[in-house]
Each structure stands twice: as C-alpha cells, then as structure tokens.
C-alpha cells in the first residue's frame, strides 16, 4: 500500500471583529507580523471609538452610547458646545450632553 504524507506550510485563521454594529471593516493590529497572535480592531463609524467601537468620540456624547442595529445606526450625536469645549459627557439628569471644561468664560450644556 502506498502511503502519502502531507505537511502544513501555512495556516491562516480568519475571524471577524465584534464592533457593536458601528464598523463594516476590521483591521489586524499588526498585519506584518505573522508569527504572533494578532488581535484585530474595528475601523469605527457613527462617531464611535475604541477597539470594539464601544464608546462615543469625546464631542459626541449628546445621548448615551448604544450598539448599532441593522435598521438603526444609533450613531453618537455631537454636543452643541459652540467651539467652547473639546469634550462633553452625557447627563442622565438633563437628558443631553454637558460640555466639559468650557473655555472663554462659558459653562453648561451649550
């Protein structure tokens, strides 16, 4: 009986990112190094950030972060700080974002 032996030269395992519906593309953290475990990250849309698009960008907290859905993007909404702040935080009490560390002698949600 003839016996055949095979070897595996390269094995690529692919997966997908968990981006909470806020990205359509994933990118490897280090695409050039094939000898290590590569963890991928999301290329975020909808004004989100983070490895899994799990939070809003600093100026986009006018409502709480929510995962995206097929029928509704749930994009993070910009706060109206009128160029007096670089970030805002959602306030449950007010139901909107409040500008952080306002400049130009201003304060409050706008």
């Amino acid at each position: 009986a003839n016996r055949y032996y095979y070897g595996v030269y390269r094995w690529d395992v692919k997966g997908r990112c968990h981006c909470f519906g806020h990205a359509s593309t994933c990118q490897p953290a280090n695409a050039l190094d094939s000898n290590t475990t590569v963890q991928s990250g999301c290329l975020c849309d909808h004004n989100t950030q983070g490895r899994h698009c799990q939070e809003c960008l600093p100026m986009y907290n006018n409502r709480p972060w929510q995962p995206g859905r097929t029928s509704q993007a749930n994009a993070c909404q910009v706060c109206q700080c009128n160029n007096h702040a670089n970030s805002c935080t959602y306030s449950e009490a007010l139901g909107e974002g409040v500008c952080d560390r306002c400049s130009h002698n201003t304060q409050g949600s706008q």
Side-chain angles (χ1 to χ4, degrees), residues 22-102:
H22 290 299
S24 58
T25 307
C26 251
Q27 178 177 353
N30 186 353
L32 300 176
D33 188 357
S34 61
N35 296 322
T36 62
T37 301
V38 177
Q39 295 187 0
S40 56
C42 304
L43 295 176
C44 301
D45 296 323
H46 307 141
N47 306 311
T48 60
Q49 68 180 3
R51 187 166 157 226
H52 302 289
C53 306
Q54 74 274 10
E55 60 188 23
C56 294
L57 289 169
M59 276 301 296
Y60 289 82
N61 288 292
N62 203 44
R63 69 176 186 183
W65 177 92
Q66 297 176 31
R69 303 193 192 312
T70 305
S71 61
Q72 188 173 2
N74 287 329
C76 295
Q77 294 179 346
V78 68
C79 293
Q80 302 302 319
C81 296
N82 299 307
N83 295 320
H84 296 297
N86 294 321
S87 66
C88 61
T89 305
Y90 179 74
S91 167
E92 284 189 38
L94 296 176
E96 65 181 8
V98 176
C99 305
D100 299 325
R101 295 177 297 284
C102 297

